[in-house]
Amino acid sequence: MHRKDQFVPHLVVANGLAALEFYKEVFGAEEGHRMMSPDGKKLMHGEIILDGHTCFVSDEFDNSEGGTCKTPQTLGGTCVRITLMVDDADVLVERALAAGARVLMPVQNLFWGARYGKIADPFGHEWGINQQLKEQSSEETQAAADEYFVKDK
């Protein structure tokens, strides 16, 4: 059996159906499989597909329902950032803001040769939005980082 992705992130959210719509609208994702809980009230399993890669999405379920993962709201934050490589970081962030995301770090030119910013989606997940403008060697990136962090002080 052939698998497309070896690593498949799974986002747990407070409103799975709304999350699917957000990711489709903002990231241009396609929706894959969708399965609701037996009572039809919660998303047990949803899939978004972006550039051929899959990400699972589901509502939070408590321990009595077999749930083991919690939303960022339940946890009081997140320990994960997903970086999305895009063609136009500014346009994507504007679209995300219009759909309810908030900026954690404005899009800006950074030392690794990219326009980069960070957003939190309406479900509490953090996304790094990276538009690579130029390819650099490790040495070029290190030199640019050294300069960036010196001027920052």
Side-chain angles (χ1 to χ4, degrees):
M1 177 177 177
H2 174 72
R3 289 179 273 162
K4 288 194 272 185
D5 291 313
Q6 183 177 3
F7 299 101
V8 180
H10 184 151
L11 300 177
V12 178
V13 298
N15 185 339
L17 295 179
L20 290 177
E21 293 307 314
F22 177 88
Y23 301 134
K24 289 187 313 188
E25 176 185 337
V26 172
F27 299 148
E30 298 173 33
E31 186 173 338
H33 182 71
R34 179 192 291 197
M35 179 186 294
M36 299 299 290
S37 60
D39 64 6
K41 294 182 180 178
K42 287 186 172 183
L43 181 66
M44 284 180 51
H45 176 82
E47 296 175 356
I48 57 168
I49 302 159
L50 188 58
D51 290 335
H53 300 283
T54 301
C55 180
F56 295 158
V57 179
S58 71
D59 277 301
E60 179 179 280
F61 289 85
D62 64 37
N63 292 343
S64 69
E65 300 171 299
T68 56
C69 295
K70 304 300 176 200
T71 67
Q73 291 85 355
T74 298
L75 296 173
T78 182
C79 65
V80 175
R81 175 184 313 122
I82 301 171
T83 298
L84 190 60
M85 308 305 251
V86 300
D87 292 330
D88 192 326
D90 297 281
V91 166
L92 189 134
V93 168
E94 287 303 317
R95 194 166 54 235
L97 290 175
R102 62 187 169 87
V103 171
L104 301 174
M105 176 183 169
V107 174
Q108 56 196 281
N109 291 339
L110 285 169
F111 58 86
W112 59 87
R115 284 195 57 72
Y116 178 83
K118 294 187 285 189
I119 61 170
D121 69 29
F123 314 97
H125 292 286
E126 186 172 319
W127 296 83
I129 308 302
N130 193 84
Q131 175 188 354
Q132 200 64 39
L133 300 174
K134 62 182 178 178
E135 295 302 317
Q136 298 176 168
S137 69
S138 297
E139 295 80 14
E140 290 170 318
T141 300
Q142 185 61 57
D146 292 344
E147 183 179 321
Y148 178 83
F149 289 114
V150 167
K151 78 169 177 122
D152 220 23
K153 293 185 179 198

